[in-house]
Amino acid sequence: MTPHGPTGAPDDGHSGAVARPSGAPDDGIGAVARHSGAPDDGIDAIAWDTLRHAYGSAADVPGQLRALYRPEDSLTAADELLMNVHHQGGTVFSSAVAALPFVVRAAADPEVTARTTLLELIACLAHEGNRAEERWIAPGWAEAWDLAVPVLLPVLHDASPRIRAVVVEALSEAWGRADETLAALWTRWSLESVPEVRDRIVEAAGELAGHADPERAGTVRRLWELTEPGPSAALRLRAVEALRTADPGGDDPRYARVVTEVLDGGDLGGRPLTRTIGLLGEDRAARVALTGRLLGNADASVRREALEAAAEELGRWRSAVPALLPTVAAHLDDPEPDNRLFAVRVLGMCGAAARPWADRLAGMLDDEGEPYLPAQDHALWALTRIGDARCAAPLARRLAGKRPGFSHFGIHSSGWWTHDLGLRETLAPLAAHAGVLLPPLRARLSASRSADETRALCQVLTDWGPAAAPALPELCALLKTAGAVWAADALVAIGPEAAAVVDRARLRALIDTPPEGQEAFAPRSLALAYGRLTGDREPALALFLPHKDTLLGRDGAVTVLGELGAASTPYTGWVRELLHRYPTGRLPLRAGEALWRITGRADEVVPVLVGAIEPFARGGARPSVTETVRLLAGIGPAAHPAVPVLRAFLDADERPVEHGSWRSVPDDDALCDAARAALLAIGVDSSRPH
């Protein structure tokens, strides 16, 4: 919600007097907007110490409000109000309700230095007031905001373009006065010459049109007029975006015409291509066709953006793979190195679907086949995703060298930036090639002096499970170092072979005396590992059970009780209550698994687990959903009620996982693999195409 002022606007937000043009509305409040000077004694009539902001009592707010009128203190006071009264959003504090009239008065006063920040604060508060849950909005906010809007309307005619732009953003939230505000915005439109302010007016019109009555039809008509040839490309696209906001469920075929015309003209006005293609909404055929055309553009930068648009489509729709992946693969020979890198990354993201291009990817593993080293790194990763054995020997050489080419961290942020790939996500699928990879990996683990590298290598061994058994000497040695907690997880994954050789006394002592700096998390992890390796779960019970009703202790307690099975019968009621109290997330998974292991009864567990994952058949599934599906596979035939939702996961075209990053397809692959395994375990044919 933070506005960015037009080019050339004053940096301090200070502007001249409000210019009231002919025809501008005058409802008697202009005198308030033009008033200069400190606020009146109305501030002292409020019991601020009884009100709250993000840091507690609002007793400091009166001083900040008065400081707004002192030029030397104004900007600091406005920043403090923004931090205290709005903070990070999600709520409207009682202090915001009381402060709003004074903040609005100061924002409308041309003598106040910090007007831009104050208008940003107003916009942020109004945004939260329209969208936050009602329980997080202090009483009186709606009424206070309704009274504030008329005071802000004259500021649309301020002499400063920056002020005009920011006040338009604030007024876009005036849903309760949508008609009045739209009329004022279109009055300003006829006078406005600054492109950035005009852009803001179009955006605001889209926000307000859906809440308007008499002004709605006229606003929609004006927006459609702006989509026609004549206005700038950026303004035409902004008008389409506004129309979509005004009618979010509509998919007018004219949108595709406008977007195609603009893209054919080659001028996006600085807008990202993915955002522009996104204006086509649910018209998947148009999006795929347009993306495919743009992938063949002569401009390398357009091709780069088109590759990102293709990644967006492929990460969301399974049906986009046959339509777009061959065109993306053609860019393995793009003359621009970063475009080759991006094409490799998209192929790797798509995993097994990229198998037809495995030979080409294998040819990119050396300088002769691909001189751009980051593209080589990605080609290796892509082959691991495909499951091609030709990745193993080059990866072994990388592990034995100074530059593995992979990060010690896996990055989970959204977006399509080509950050370094994680060592764990690259090596995790390669347990079948442990014979080739373990010698250099073990040597690297022994020589590691980096906690981050040690953790990453141990995580790879954990993922490999029993195949990592030759690394037992290195893992056992790590129990005497700061890497003990990650080594213990790998030892558990290796299983009985590790349990036979682990130093139990050392592992037990670590629970009470964890490595320095790891006191907050290591004891819990080590206690679980100790129980799994030795069968002695008393240390874990002693650690978790006293805190079983706290956020940190609850998950651990449920896990340990489940691992104990029937011996945990005295806690059945508590576990059952958790299962039914928390309907989604990881807790139903943990509690459901524990209750099943304790009682052996699937009849009360399966319906809850199915209920926990069923909403995600429509999208947004997280890893805990996939873990729950794996648990249903473990339950077997008694999990038959899950068949419809498992089928839904497999039959969907829109991937039922979170979209917008490289992990969308791998996460979808993992969910589908788990669903097929569960159907097989239940005794249902999982081979039906989807």
Side-chain angles (χ1 to χ4, degrees):
M1 292 294 297
T2 301
H4 301 286
T7 304
D11 287 338
D12 60 1
H14 187 68
S15 72
V18 174
R20 296 187 59 78
S22 174
D26 188 351
D27 53 9
I29 50 98
V32 175
R34 292 190 295 273
H35 168 76
S36 281
D40 58 29
D41 290 339
I43 286 183
D44 292 331
I46 297 170
W48 295 97
D49 58 345
T50 67
L51 305 178
R52 310 290 292 175
H53 58 47
Y55 294 97
S57 168
D60 54 349
V61 170
Q64 293 160 356
L65 293 174
R66 288 193 168 91
L68 294 174
Y69 290 85
R70 298 193 296 270
E72 69 277 11
D73 299 325
S74 186
L75 292 171
T76 298
D79 285 339
E80 289 173 349
L81 285 168
L82 183 62
M83 180 59 67
N84 295 352
V85 175
H86 173 251
H87 198 52
Q88 296 179 346
T91 188
V92 177
F93 294 103
S94 55
S95 59
V97 177
L100 184 66
F102 302 102
V103 172
V104 168
R105 181 190 304 170
D109 190 329
E111 299 302 318
V112 171
T113 304
R115 300 177 71 201
T116 298
T117 302
L118 294 176
L119 288 167
E120 290 171 355
L121 169 59
I122 294 165
C124 288
L125 292 174
H127 181 274
E128 299 305 327
N130 283 337
R131 295 168 181 81
E133 293 182 40
E134 187 176 353
R135 63 194 176 113
W136 299 116
I137 301 175
W141 168 257
E143 295 79 5
W145 175 229
D146 185 67
L147 292 172
V149 172
V151 184
L152 293 173
L153 289 174
V155 185
L156 288 169
H157 307 292
D158 195 271
S160 164
R162 187 176 187 185
I163 292 296
R164 296 200 300 273
V166 186
V167 79
V168 169
E169 182 157 358
L171 288 169
S172 71
E173 302 294 339
W175 296 356
R177 290 182 179 261
D179 289 298
E180 177 184 355
T181 304
L182 280 168
L185 288 172
W186 291 122
T187 296
R188 181 64 228 173
W189 174 266
S190 64
L191 305 165
E192 187 57 65
S193 60
V194 177
E196 290 84 353
V197 183
R198 289 170 71 86
D199 288 347
R200 296 291 177 86
I201 291 174
V202 171
E203 291 172 359
E207 285 285 348
L208 292 165
H211 305 278
D213 188 10
E215 290 289 332
R216 175 178 170 77
T219 292
V220 170
R221 175 181 53 77
R222 285 173 180 267
L223 292 173
W224 275 116
E225 289 172 355
L226 291 173
T227 68
E228 296 300 325
S232 69
L235 192 57
R236 294 181 71 190
L237 294 174
R238 208 172 294 272
V240 172
E241 197 164 34
L243 286 163
R244 281 205 162 279
T245 303
D247 184 17
D251 255 333
D252 195 296
R254 289 176 288 180
Y255 297 153
R257 174 183 61 78
V258 176
V259 171
T260 302
E261 286 178 0
V262 169
L263 290 175
D264 285 345
D267 178 17
L268 294 180
R271 292 169 61 95
L273 186 61
T274 52
R275 184 177 171 189
T276 299
I277 292 176
L279 294 176
L280 298 175
E282 300 306 308
D283 189 347
R284 280 179 276 161
R287 286 204 315 270
V288 168
L290 191 54
T291 301
R293 273 178 41 213
L294 291 167
L295 283 167
N297 196 280
D299 187 327
S301 64
V302 173
R303 295 197 304 276
R304 168 63 179 77
E305 288 199 75
L307 284 166
E308 186 170 325
E312 190 85 37
E313 295 298 311
L314 292 163
R316 184 176 179 189
W317 303 101
R318 294 169 181 165
S319 61
V321 173
L324 284 176
L325 202 57
T327 313
V328 169
H331 289 273
L332 295 175
D333 298 308
D334 195 294
E336 174 59 41
D338 280 326
N339 286 353
R340 296 198 301 274
L341 166 61
F342 206 103
V344 174
R345 186 69 176 260
V346 174
L347 288 168
M349 175 183 80
C350 291
R355 190 166 285 118
W357 300 279
D359 288 347
R360 177 68 186 94
L361 290 166
M364 299 175 73
L365 299 183
D366 56 33
D367 292 344
E368 183 178 349
E370 174 51 68
Y372 189 40
L373 201 53
Q376 287 185 33
D377 297 342
H378 279 67
L380 264 177
W381 169 73
L383 290 173
T384 71
R385 284 275 298 140
I386 292 170
D388 192 293
R390 285 173 286 185
C391 66
L395 280 169
R397 290 194 294 272
R398 292 288 192 94
L399 286 170
K402 292 183 178 180
R403 181 191 177 275
F406 301 99
S407 167
H408 297 145
F409 298 94
I411 298 176
H412 292 260
S413 59
S414 60
W416 304 105
W417 49 301
T418 51
H419 50 73
D420 287 345
L421 295 157
L423 184 67
R424 181 181 187 179
E425 61 191 326
T426 303
L427 295 178
L430 301 179
H433 304 285
V436 175
L437 293 166
L438 269 172
L441 191 152
R442 292 174 62 188
R444 197 167 196 97
L445 187 60
S446 294
S448 176
R449 296 296 179 267
S450 160
D452 294 334
E453 182 179 37
T454 298
R455 179 181 58 245
L457 293 170
C458 286
Q459 288 171 337
V460 170
L461 296 174
T462 301
D463 292 331
W464 288 356
L472 281 173
E474 289 77 20
L475 292 170
C476 288
L478 282 175
L479 293 180
K480 299 178 181 179
T481 72
V485 66
W486 306 302
D489 288 340
L491 290 167
V492 169
I494 290 170
E497 198 170 343
V501 300
V502 70
D503 184 343
R504 297 186 175 201
R506 173 62 185 166
L507 190 55
R508 176 64 185 85
L510 280 169
I511 300 172
D512 298 324
T513 312
E516 185 177 355
Q518 299 180 13
E519 293 85 358
F521 72 92
R524 295 192 296 273
S525 181
L526 290 165
L528 290 172
Y530 178 80
R532 291 162 181 167
L533 285 165
T534 68
D536 178 7
R537 290 185 167 80
E538 287 304 318
L541 289 171
L543 191 62
F544 288 115
L545 284 184
H547 308 286
K548 67 182 180 64
D549 294 313
T550 67
L551 186 61
L552 289 177
R554 188 175 56 201
D555 283 8
V558 163
T559 299
V560 176
L561 291 172
E563 291 177 359
L564 280 169
S568 298
T569 298
Y571 293 95
T572 301
W574 178 73
V575 176
R576 180 178 287 119
E577 197 239 331
L578 282 182
L579 178 65
H580 293 283
R581 189 195 307 170
Y582 300 96
T584 60
R586 294 182 64 85
L587 202 54
L589 165 65
R590 296 287 176 244
E593 182 173 10
L595 192 60
W596 174 57
R597 295 191 185 285
I598 293 168
T599 67
R601 291 181 52 191
D603 58 322
E604 67 172 327
V605 170
V606 169
V608 178
L609 296 178
V610 171
I613 64 174
E614 203 164 30
F616 295 101
R618 295 181 289 277
R622 298 176 178 86
S624 61
V625 174
T626 302
E627 290 182 53
T628 302
V629 172
R630 292 187 183 120
L631 173 58
L632 291 167
I635 292 174
H640 196 276
V643 168
V645 68
L646 297 174
R647 285 287 191 202
F649 287 143
L650 292 172
D651 293 343
D653 182 21
E654 184 173 12
R655 302 183 192 275
V657 296
E658 294 182 318
H659 306 139
S661 81
W662 303 107
R663 297 187 182 277
S664 300
V665 181
D667 286 350
D668 185 45
D669 289 347
L671 178 59
C672 288
D673 288 346
R676 292 189 192 96
L679 288 170
L680 185 63
I682 291 167
V684 175
D685 179 16
S686 63
S687 62
R688 193 174 77 190
H690 59 276

